[in-house]
């Protein structure tokens, strides 16, 4: 009769552990996949000059391109033949580029931490890695949102000198918002599962301590 409570306690713990892996493992895998997608989107976003486009002209984070038969005068009174050149040395463009690079680097770090957490068999290590990955992704999301806001906002202040009546957002700017969306999804997945991970980690710690006390 004395062994029955102990047996029930161990059985309940095993059931909790099995339920935990069945419900929380999948969100972390999806968060890891979202992190990989963000890497791809940020590379495309950084490499393209299609952030803002006008007639026969486009501008990105690193270069601006003039197409054949572009009407004169060129935007911002540029003097250039058809081709791609280094982007204008304007503060908001440099700031947006730096923030996007930081977003990519932080997302790589967070995705690696999430992947290491998935591979780790130690519950405390898993909990720590997922927690740090969550915080890093939050900073990464903040950086990309700031860059996506300041780029068009600051451009609007100089649009009168652009020599073009119509400007449109290019596909690379939309890709940046896509990266922000996937980052948000990864953060929500890690955030929603953070409480479960914390409870599970505390359960394992309490059980380990109780087993150690019984052996002593």
């Amino acid at each position: 009769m004395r062994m029955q409570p102990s047996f029930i306690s161990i059985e309940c713990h095993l059931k909790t552990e099995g339920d935990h892996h069945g419900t929380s493992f999948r969100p972390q895998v999806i968060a890891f996949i979202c992190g990989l997608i963000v890497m791809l989107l940020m590379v495309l976003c950084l490499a393209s000059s299609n952030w803002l486009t006008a007639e026969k002209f486009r501008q990105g984070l690193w270069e601006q391109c003039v197409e054949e038969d572009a009407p004169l005068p060129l935007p911002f009174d540029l003097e250039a033949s058809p081709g791609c050149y280094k982007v204008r040395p304007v503060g908001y463009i440099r700031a947006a580029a730096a923030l996007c690079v930081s977003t990519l680097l932080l997302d790589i770090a967070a995705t690696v931490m999430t992947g290491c957490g998935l591979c780790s068999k130690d519950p405390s290590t898993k909990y720590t890695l997922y927690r740090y990955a969550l915080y890093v992704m939050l900073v990464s999301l903040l950086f990309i949102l700031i860059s996506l806001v300041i780029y068009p906002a600051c451009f609007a202040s100089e649009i009168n000198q652009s020599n073009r009546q119509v400007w449109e957002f290019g596909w690379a700017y939309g890709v940046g918002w896509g990266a922000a969306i996937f980052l948000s999804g990864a953060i929500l997945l890690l955030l929603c599962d953070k409480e479960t991970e914390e409870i599970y980690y505390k359960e394992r710690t309490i059980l380990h301590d109780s087993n150690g006390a019984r052996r002593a």
Side-chain angles (χ1 to χ4, degrees):
M1 292 297 293
R2 293 181 180 179
M3 293 298 295
Q4 186 175 1
S6 176
F7 174 75
I8 294 176
S9 175
I10 296 174
E11 182 181 4
C12 290
H13 170 73
L14 292 176
K15 183 177 180 181
T16 303
E17 182 176 353
D19 291 344
H20 170 81
H21 285 295
T23 58
S24 67
F25 181 73
R26 187 174 300 172
Q28 293 150 358
V29 173
I30 298 175
F32 176 76
I33 295 173
C34 286
L36 295 177
I37 295 174
V38 170
M39 289 184 201
L40 175 62
L41 295 179
M42 287 307 302
V43 169
L44 293 174
C45 181
L46 286 165
S48 175
S49 60
N50 277 276
W51 273 60
L52 285 173
T53 62
E55 186 179 3
K56 303 292 184 178
F57 183 85
R58 63 183 186 272
Q59 173 181 289
L61 296 174
W62 310 104
E63 66 179 9
Q64 55 196 16
C65 299
V66 180
E67 299 179 12
E68 294 285 347
D69 301 325
L72 299 176
L74 292 175
F76 310 104
D77 296 322
L78 297 173
E79 296 181 0
S81 57
C84 292
Y85 306 90
K86 186 177 179 180
V87 74
R88 294 176 298 122
V90 183
Y92 75 87
I93 299 178
R94 291 178 175 178
L99 288 169
C100 285
V101 171
S102 300
T103 296
L104 175 60
L105 295 178
L106 289 173
D107 176 67
I108 291 174
T111 304
V112 169
M113 284 188 282
T114 304
C116 291
L118 290 171
C119 296
S120 176
K121 296 181 180 179
D122 181 19
S124 63
T125 302
K126 281 180 176 288
Y127 172 71
T128 302
L129 288 171
Y130 293 152
R131 181 180 58 186
Y132 286 149
L134 172 63
Y135 296 153
V136 173
M137 282 189 175
L138 281 171
V139 177
S140 180
L141 177 62
L142 179 63
F143 282 177
I144 186 62
L145 289 177
I146 292 175
S147 67
L148 292 172
V149 170
I150 66 171
Y151 195 94
C154 293
F155 177 80
S157 65
E158 61 176 5
I159 197 170
N160 291 331
Q161 294 85 38
S162 65
N163 298 325
R164 293 289 189 272
Q165 296 295 323
V166 179
W167 286 88
E168 297 178 348
F169 291 115
W171 62 265
Y173 182 79
V175 167
W177 279 108
I181 292 172
F182 276 101
L183 258 178
S184 300
I187 289 170
L188 288 175
L189 288 167
L190 291 175
L191 186 63
C192 291
D193 197 60
K194 181 176 180 294
E195 183 178 354
T196 306
E197 283 288 341
E198 187 173 358
I199 293 173
Y200 176 65
Y201 172 60
K202 289 179 178 178
E203 286 178 351
R204 289 293 297 267
T205 303
I206 293 171
L207 183 66
H208 181 269
D209 292 343
S210 62
N211 289 338
R214 290 175 182 176
R215 291 175 182 177

